[in-house]
PDB file of all heavy atoms in Angstrom:
ATOM      1  N   GLN A 426      92.401  99.533  84.404  1.00 84.00           N
ATOM      2  CA  GLN A 426      92.167  98.134  84.045  1.00 84.00           C
ATOM      3  C   GLN A 426      92.870  97.226  85.039  1.00 84.00           C
ATOM      4  O   GLN A 426      93.776  97.639  85.743  1.00 84.00           O
ATOM      5  CB  GLN A 426      92.737  97.860  82.657  1.00 84.00           C
ATOM      6  CG  GLN A 426      92.188  98.751  81.565  1.00 84.00           C
ATOM      7  CD  GLN A 426      93.107  98.736  80.363  1.00 84.00           C
ATOM      8  OE1 GLN A 426      93.556  97.677  79.928  1.00 84.00           O
ATOM      9  NE2 GLN A 426      93.392  99.906  79.834  1.00 84.00           N
ATOM     10  N   ASP A 427      92.433  95.975  85.023  1.00 82.00           N
ATOM     11  CA  ASP A 427      93.009  95.025  85.979  1.00 82.00           C
ATOM     12  C   ASP A 427      94.531  94.975  85.917  1.00 82.00           C
ATOM     13  O   ASP A 427      95.216  94.987  86.932  1.00 82.00           O
ATOM     14  CB  ASP A 427      92.458  93.607  85.710  1.00 82.00           C
ATOM     15  CG  ASP A 427      91.128  93.426  86.410  1.00 82.00           C
ATOM     16  OD1 ASP A 427      90.603  94.420  86.960  1.00 82.00           O
ATOM     17  OD2 ASP A 427      90.595  92.306  86.385  1.00 82.00           O
ATOM     18  N   LYS A 428      95.060  94.963  84.689  1.00 83.00           N
ATOM     19  CA  LYS A 428      96.516  94.794  84.579  1.00 83.00           C
ATOM     20  C   LYS A 428      97.285  96.015  85.089  1.00 83.00           C
ATOM     21  O   LYS A 428      98.473  95.919  85.361  1.00 83.00           O
ATOM     22  CB  LYS A 428      96.906  94.472  83.140  1.00 83.00           C
ATOM     23  CG  LYS A 428      96.606  95.587  82.174  1.00 83.00           C
ATOM     24  CD  LYS A 428      96.964  95.213  80.755  1.00 83.00           C
ATOM     25  CE  LYS A 428      96.388  96.277  79.807  1.00 83.00           C
ATOM     26  NZ  LYS A 428      96.534  95.942  78.416  1.00 83.00           N
ATOM     27  N   ASN A 429      96.584  97.169  85.190  1.00 82.00           N
ATOM     28  CA  ASN A 429      97.250  98.354  85.708  1.00 82.00           C
ATOM     29  C   ASN A 429      97.102  98.511  87.209  1.00 82.00           C
ATOM     30  O   ASN A 429      97.588  99.493  87.785  1.00 82.00           O
ATOM     31  CB  ASN A 429      96.696  99.609  85.042  1.00 82.00           C
ATOM     32  CG  ASN A 429      97.259  99.777  83.660  1.00 82.00           C
ATOM     33  OD1 ASN A 429      98.296  99.205  83.358  1.00 82.00           O
ATOM     34  ND2 ASN A 429      96.574 100.532  82.840  1.00 82.00           N
ATOM     35  N   CYS A 430      96.376  97.597  87.833  1.00 87.00           N
ATOM     36  CA  CYS A 430      96.184  97.728  89.271  1.00 87.00           C
ATOM     37  C   CYS A 430      97.497  97.484  90.002  1.00 87.00           C
ATOM     38  O   CYS A 430      98.372  96.786  89.511  1.00 87.00           O
ATOM     39  CB  CYS A 430      95.145  96.741  89.765  1.00 87.00           C
ATOM     40  SG  CYS A 430      93.480  97.273  89.344  1.00 87.00           S
ATOM     41  N   PHE A 431      97.594  98.061  91.174  1.00 89.00           N
ATOM     42  CA  PHE A 431      98.762  97.883  92.042  1.00 89.00           C
ATOM     43  C   PHE A 431     100.052  98.237  91.323  1.00 89.00           C
ATOM     44  O   PHE A 431     101.062  97.580  91.498  1.00 89.00           O
ATOM     45  CB  PHE A 431      98.843  96.430  92.545  1.00 89.00           C
ATOM     46  CG  PHE A 431      97.565  95.938  93.137  1.00 89.00           C
ATOM     47  CD1 PHE A 431      96.851  94.920  92.526  1.00 89.00           C
ATOM     48  CD2 PHE A 431      97.064  96.508  94.293  1.00 89.00           C
ATOM     49  CE1 PHE A 431      95.658  94.473  93.065  1.00 89.00           C
ATOM     50  CE2 PHE A 431      95.872  96.051  94.842  1.00 89.00           C
ATOM     51  CZ  PHE A 431      95.169  95.034  94.224  1.00 89.00           C
ATOM     52  N   ASP A 432     100.034  99.266  90.521  1.00 88.00           N
ATOM     53  CA  ASP A 432     101.226  99.591  89.740  1.00 88.00           C
ATOM     54  C   ASP A 432     101.451 101.102  89.693  1.00 88.00           C
ATOM     55  O   ASP A 432     100.600 101.852  89.233  1.00 88.00           O
ATOM     56  CB  ASP A 432     101.079  99.037  88.319  1.00 88.00           C
ATOM     57  CG  ASP A 432     102.436  98.941  87.637  1.00 88.00           C
ATOM     58  OD1 ASP A 432     103.391  99.568  88.133  1.00 88.00           O
ATOM     59  OD2 ASP A 432     102.535  98.229  86.637  1.00 88.00           O
ATOM     60  N   ASP A 433     102.621 101.510  90.180  1.00 88.00           N
ATOM     61  CA  ASP A 433     102.979 102.926  90.138  1.00 88.00           C
ATOM     62  C   ASP A 433     103.138 103.456  88.729  1.00 88.00           C
ATOM     63  O   ASP A 433     102.959 104.648  88.490  1.00 88.00           O
ATOM     64  CB  ASP A 433     104.324 103.137  90.860  1.00 88.00           C
ATOM     65  CG  ASP A 433     104.188 103.141  92.366  1.00 88.00           C
ATOM     66  OD1 ASP A 433     103.094 103.445  92.854  1.00 88.00           O
ATOM     67  OD2 ASP A 433     105.179 102.838  93.040  1.00 88.00           O
ATOM     68  N   GLN A 434     103.542 102.569  87.813  1.00 86.00           N
ATOM     69  CA  GLN A 434     103.833 103.007  86.442  1.00 86.00           C
ATOM     70  C   GLN A 434     102.702 103.814  85.825  1.00 86.00           C
ATOM     71  O   GLN A 434     102.921 104.685  85.003  1.00 86.00           O
ATOM     72  CB  GLN A 434     104.080 101.783  85.531  1.00 86.00           C
ATOM     73  CG  GLN A 434     105.325 101.006  85.863  1.00 86.00           C
ATOM     74  CD  GLN A 434     106.586 101.675  85.359  1.00 86.00           C
ATOM     75  OE1 GLN A 434     106.516 102.719  84.723  1.00 86.00           O
ATOM     76  NE2 GLN A 434     107.718 101.106  85.686  1.00 86.00           N
ATOM     77  N   ALA A 435     101.483 103.480  86.218  1.00 86.00           N
ATOM     78  CA  ALA A 435     100.337 104.160  85.614  1.00 86.00           C
ATOM     79  C   ALA A 435     100.266 105.626  86.008  1.00 86.00           C
ATOM     80  O   ALA A 435      99.624 106.421  85.325  1.00 86.00           O
ATOM     81  CB  ALA A 435      99.055 103.442  86.009  1.00 86.00           C
ATOM     82  N   PHE A 436     100.891 105.980  87.131  1.00 90.00           N
ATOM     83  CA  PHE A 436     100.675 107.318  87.668  1.00 90.00           C
ATOM     84  C   PHE A 436     101.933 108.150  87.843  1.00 90.00           C
ATOM     85  O   PHE A 436     101.858 109.333  88.100  1.00 90.00           O
ATOM     86  CB  PHE A 436      99.973 107.218  89.030  1.00 90.00           C
ATOM     87  CG  PHE A 436      98.755 106.373  89.004  1.00 90.00           C
ATOM     88  CD1 PHE A 436      98.674 105.203  89.721  1.00 90.00           C
ATOM     89  CD2 PHE A 436      97.668 106.735  88.203  1.00 90.00           C
ATOM     90  CE1 PHE A 436      97.546 104.409  89.681  1.00 90.00           C
ATOM     91  CE2 PHE A 436      96.542 105.953  88.147  1.00 90.00           C
ATOM     92  CZ  PHE A 436      96.464 104.781  88.879  1.00 90.00           C
ATOM     93  N   TRP A 437     103.078 107.517  87.735  1.00 90.00           N
ATOM     94  CA  TRP A 437     104.313 108.234  88.051  1.00 90.00           C
ATOM     95  C   TRP A 437     105.281 108.166  86.874  1.00 90.00           C
ATOM     96  O   TRP A 437     105.492 107.120  86.285  1.00 90.00           O
ATOM     97  CB  TRP A 437     104.991 107.615  89.281  1.00 90.00           C
ATOM     98  CG  TRP A 437     104.167 107.711  90.525  1.00 90.00           C
ATOM     99  CD1 TRP A 437     103.167 106.866  90.889  1.00 90.00           C
ATOM    100  CD2 TRP A 437     104.245 108.712  91.536  1.00 90.00           C
ATOM    101  NE1 TRP A 437     102.624 107.278  92.078  1.00 90.00           N
ATOM    102  CE2 TRP A 437     103.265 108.412  92.505  1.00 90.00           C
ATOM    103  CE3 TRP A 437     105.048 109.835  91.740  1.00 90.00           C
ATOM    104  CZ2 TRP A 437     103.065 109.190  93.637  1.00 90.00           C
ATOM    105  CZ3 TRP A 437     104.854 110.610  92.874  1.00 90.00           C
ATOM    106  CH2 TRP A 437     103.865 110.280  93.805  1.00 90.00           C
ATOM    107  N   GLU A 438     105.899 109.313  86.593  1.00 86.00           N
ATOM    108  CA  GLU A 438     107.039 109.370  85.669  1.00 86.00           C
ATOM    109  C   GLU A 438     108.249 108.759  86.348  1.00 86.00           C
ATOM    110  O   GLU A 438     108.543 109.088  87.496  1.00 86.00           O
ATOM    111  CB  GLU A 438     107.409 110.831  85.399  1.00 86.00           C
ATOM    112  CG  GLU A 438     106.585 111.539  84.402  1.00 86.00           C
ATOM    113  CD  GLU A 438     107.070 112.989  84.274  1.00 86.00           C
ATOM    114  OE1 GLU A 438     108.071 113.359  84.901  1.00 86.00           O
ATOM    115  OE2 GLU A 438     106.411 113.739  83.556  1.00 86.00           O
ATOM    116  N   PHE A 439     108.972 107.913  85.623  1.00 75.00           N
ATOM    117  CA  PHE A 439     110.225 107.396  86.209  1.00 75.00           C
ATOM    118  C   PHE A 439     111.403 107.677  85.283  1.00 75.00           C
ATOM    119  O   PHE A 439     112.036 106.755  84.796  1.00 75.00           O
ATOM    120  CB  PHE A 439     110.121 105.889  86.438  1.00 75.00           C
ATOM    121  CG  PHE A 439     109.201 105.507  87.546  1.00 75.00           C
ATOM    122  CD1 PHE A 439     108.114 104.681  87.315  1.00 75.00           C
ATOM    123  CD2 PHE A 439     109.429 105.958  88.828  1.00 75.00           C
ATOM    124  CE1 PHE A 439     107.274 104.327  88.356  1.00 75.00           C
ATOM    125  CE2 PHE A 439     108.592 105.596  89.858  1.00 75.00           C
ATOM    126  CZ  PHE A 439     107.513 104.777  89.624  1.00 75.00           C
ATOM    127  N   PRO A 440     111.733 108.954  85.042  1.00 63.00           N
ATOM    128  CA  PRO A 440     112.772 109.206  84.035  1.00 63.00           C
ATOM    129  C   PRO A 440     114.155 108.753  84.474  1.00 63.00           C
ATOM    130  O   PRO A 440     114.920 108.220  83.702  1.00 63.00           O
ATOM    131  CB  PRO A 440     112.724 110.725  83.866  1.00 63.00           C
ATOM    132  CG  PRO A 440     112.174 111.229  85.155  1.00 63.00           C
ATOM    133  CD  PRO A 440     111.289 110.161  85.706  1.00 63.00           C
ATOM    134  N   HIS A 441     114.472 108.962  85.755  1.00 59.00           N
ATOM    135  CA  HIS A 441     115.844 108.700  86.175  1.00 59.00           C
ATOM    136  C   HIS A 441     115.972 107.366  86.873  1.00 59.00           C
ATOM    137  O   HIS A 441     116.955 107.103  87.536  1.00 59.00           O
ATOM    138  CB  HIS A 441     116.314 109.799  87.131  1.00 59.00           C
ATOM    139  CG  HIS A 441     116.357 111.127  86.483  1.00 59.00           C
ATOM    140  ND1 HIS A 441     117.277 111.441  85.523  1.00 59.00           N
ATOM    141  CD2 HIS A 441     115.589 112.220  86.635  1.00 59.00           C
ATOM    142  CE1 HIS A 441     117.080 112.674  85.122  1.00 59.00           C
ATOM    143  NE2 HIS A 441     116.064 113.172  85.768  1.00 59.00           N
ATOM    144  N   LEU A 442     114.942 106.524  86.763  1.00 63.00           N
ATOM    145  CA  LEU A 442     114.971 105.282  87.520  1.00 63.00           C
ATOM    146  C   LEU A 442     116.075 104.376  86.997  1.00 63.00           C
ATOM    147  O   LEU A 442     116.184 104.132  85.803  1.00 63.00           O
ATOM    148  CB  LEU A 442     113.621 104.591  87.397  1.00 63.00           C
ATOM    149  CG  LEU A 442     113.294 103.591  88.502  1.00 63.00           C
ATOM    150  CD1 LEU A 442     113.130 104.277  89.830  1.00 63.00           C
ATOM    151  CD2 LEU A 442     112.060 102.826  88.155  1.00 63.00           C
ATOM    152  N   ALA A 443     116.888 103.883  87.901  1.00 58.00           N
ATOM    153  CA  ALA A 443     117.922 102.940  87.512  1.00 58.00           C
ATOM    154  C   ALA A 443     117.241 101.733  86.889  1.00 58.00           C
ATOM    155  O   ALA A 443     116.290 101.195  87.454  1.00 58.00           O
ATOM    156  CB  ALA A 443     118.729 102.528  88.734  1.00 58.00           C
TER     157      ALA A 443
END
Side-chain angles (χ1 to χ4, degrees):
Chain A
Q426 303 161 46
D427 275 7
K428 64 182 169 187
N429 282 340
C430 284
F431 309 114
D432 199 344
D433 282 335
Q434 293 282 358
F436 309 116
W437 297 83
E438 279 179 4
F439 289 121
H441 297 290
L442 202 66

